[in-house]
Amino acid sequence: MTARPAFLKSRAAAALALALLATGADARPVLRASVTVGADLVTIGDFFDDAGALADRAIFRAPDLGTTGTVPAWRVIAEARAAGLTDATEGNLVEISVTRSAREIGAGEIQRLVGAAVARQMNVAGVDSLQITFDAPLEPRLADERSQSPIRVASISLLPGQDRFEALLLLDRGGSQERIRLRGAAVEVVDILTLARPVVRGEVVTADDLVVDRVPKRQAGAVRPIAPEEIAGLAARRQLRAGQPIVASDFTKPVLVQRGETVAIVFESPGLILTARGQALEPGALGQTVSVLNQQSKRSVIGVVTGQGRVTIGGRTPVASLAGGPKP
């Protein structure tokens, strides 16, 4: 192997030294073009990469929650150097944008928070049992996103004998608390079932005929809340008007067999099904027991209404009498 000349070795050493110096220069703390903070103070570490032990040193106050401000790059460099970061550099930057992040508290969240507090004060089942209105529209609020309780109800006052309330809320603004006073009305409500259209006696109602309305509890009186599925498929006992609150006693199972109607009499037993024509001697709804005259045997039998114009006879009924043959 041929030895390298001395002047080549010296050139290599010089190049290595220049590379090391360049690397050291690149490692200097460099100012960022934009900064986003959650606290009310901006630190050296927010502005610079590789700020080292000075990273937590605050040098500026942050903008208001949810806003963005700018600061000249030379001023940031000056404050950082005064704090001890002597090798800080701004690069080619002229100004730095600083954004203060925040959590938005929407109007719906505020309403639910106040409603829950009012419900506890009124000793009702929950916020869903109340109809709450505010004297003024609720505006979204900005709170410190780092806070575990960004907004809370400090107090609730109810006016005796009225549906009025006054709420005091505390909003965490990060370093300060904003006091918010809200006034409004809270009425306990219940769900009642009404009709979307008039219904005549004997008419069967469907789910589309039923409407759930929320009304003040004192207005509902003794009307018991009913689920629509409890009424759908039943027949009205009397004529009912649209919008009228309804109760379970207003309805009954629909009559599937009318008195004097010709019906199918079905005898069912294991391995055997017989059908005969008969005449209903009384009306009956689904599941009710009725008397039917077998038109062939002229004998009255007892069966259960199992469908429209259909009566089913149990296995103990003699087959011969159902079919019109000799009586036992």
Side-chain angles (χ1 to χ4, degrees):
M1 179 179 295
T2 304
R4 299 179 65 185
F7 74 91
L8 291 179
K9 291 182 178 180
S10 62
R11 281 187 178 182
L16 179 58
L18 288 174
L20 291 173
L21 288 173
T23 302
D26 291 342
R28 295 172 62 191
V30 178
L31 191 58
R32 298 187 178 102
S34 62
V35 176
T36 299
V37 297
D40 56 346
L41 296 175
V42 190
T43 66
I44 292 178
D46 293 324
F47 281 116
F48 295 92
D49 292 314
D50 303 322
L54 295 173
D56 294 333
R57 179 75 62 86
I59 56 175
F60 284 101
R61 180 166 291 279
D64 291 337
L65 287 169
T67 64
T68 298
T70 59
V71 59
W74 66 263
R75 187 178 174 191
V76 177
I77 294 297
E79 294 291 339
R81 287 175 177 172
L85 197 68
T86 56
D87 55 347
T89 177
E90 70 268 40
N92 297 321
L93 298 177
V94 176
E95 63 179 16
I96 313 302
S97 67
V98 181
T99 300
R100 176 84 177 276
S101 59
R103 175 185 167 185
E104 182 175 280
I105 310 294
E109 183 175 353
I110 296 174
Q111 180 166 353
R112 289 190 297 272
L113 184 68
V114 174
V118 173
R120 288 193 296 270
Q121 192 80 353
M122 294 178 63
N123 196 28
V124 299
V127 65
D128 291 339
S129 299
L130 293 176
Q131 184 179 66
I132 294 182
T133 56
F134 292 87
D135 293 352
L138 296 178
E139 300 292 340
R141 306 280 179 158
L142 294 177
D144 186 350
E145 67 175 2
R146 304 167 305 161
S147 176
Q148 294 183 352
S149 299
I151 189 170
R152 63 183 180 88
V153 177
S155 65
I156 287 286
S157 299
L158 300 179
L159 299 181
Q162 303 182 43
D163 296 325
R164 304 281 304 166
F165 69 85
E166 180 175 308
L168 172 62
L169 281 68
L170 296 180
L171 182 73
D172 188 348
R173 299 279 297 176
S176 65
Q177 286 190 328
E178 179 183 352
R179 297 166 67 88
I180 304 171
R181 292 192 180 275
L182 299 175
R183 295 178 177 85
V187 179
E188 187 175 3
V189 294
V190 294
D191 291 337
I192 63 169
L193 205 58
T194 64
L195 290 170
R197 64 177 181 84
V199 174
V200 299
R201 180 182 177 183
E203 187 175 1
V204 177
V205 297
T206 67
D208 292 337
D209 298 324
L210 303 170
V211 178
V212 178
D213 285 334
R214 304 199 81 196
V215 300
K217 185 176 181 180
R218 58 176 174 268
Q219 178 181 328
V223 176
R224 183 183 69 85
I226 312 172
E229 52 268 24
E230 295 182 51
I231 301 300
L234 298 182
R237 291 181 181 270
R238 58 189 178 89
Q239 184 171 340
L240 301 169
R241 66 180 185 276
Q244 176 180 349
I246 56 179
V247 295
S249 59
D250 290 332
F251 297 87
T252 186
K253 291 181 179 180
V255 175
L256 301 181
V257 171
Q258 299 289 344
R259 178 185 175 89
E261 177 185 3
T262 299
V263 298
I265 308 174
V266 180
F267 172 83
E268 293 183 354
S269 66
L272 178 65
I273 298 179
L274 293 177
T275 303
R277 291 168 60 86
Q279 183 181 32
L281 300 179
E282 55 187 328
L286 184 67
Q288 290 184 336
T289 300
V290 295
S291 297
V292 182
L293 178 66
N294 186 324
Q295 293 180 339
Q296 291 180 332
S297 67
K298 304 303 180 182
R299 180 176 179 178
S300 175
V301 294
I302 303 295
V304 176
V305 178
T306 54
Q308 186 71 50
R310 177 187 177 98
V311 177
T312 298
I313 308 300
R316 288 182 292 181
T317 301
V319 176
S321 65
L322 180 64
K327 298 179 184 179

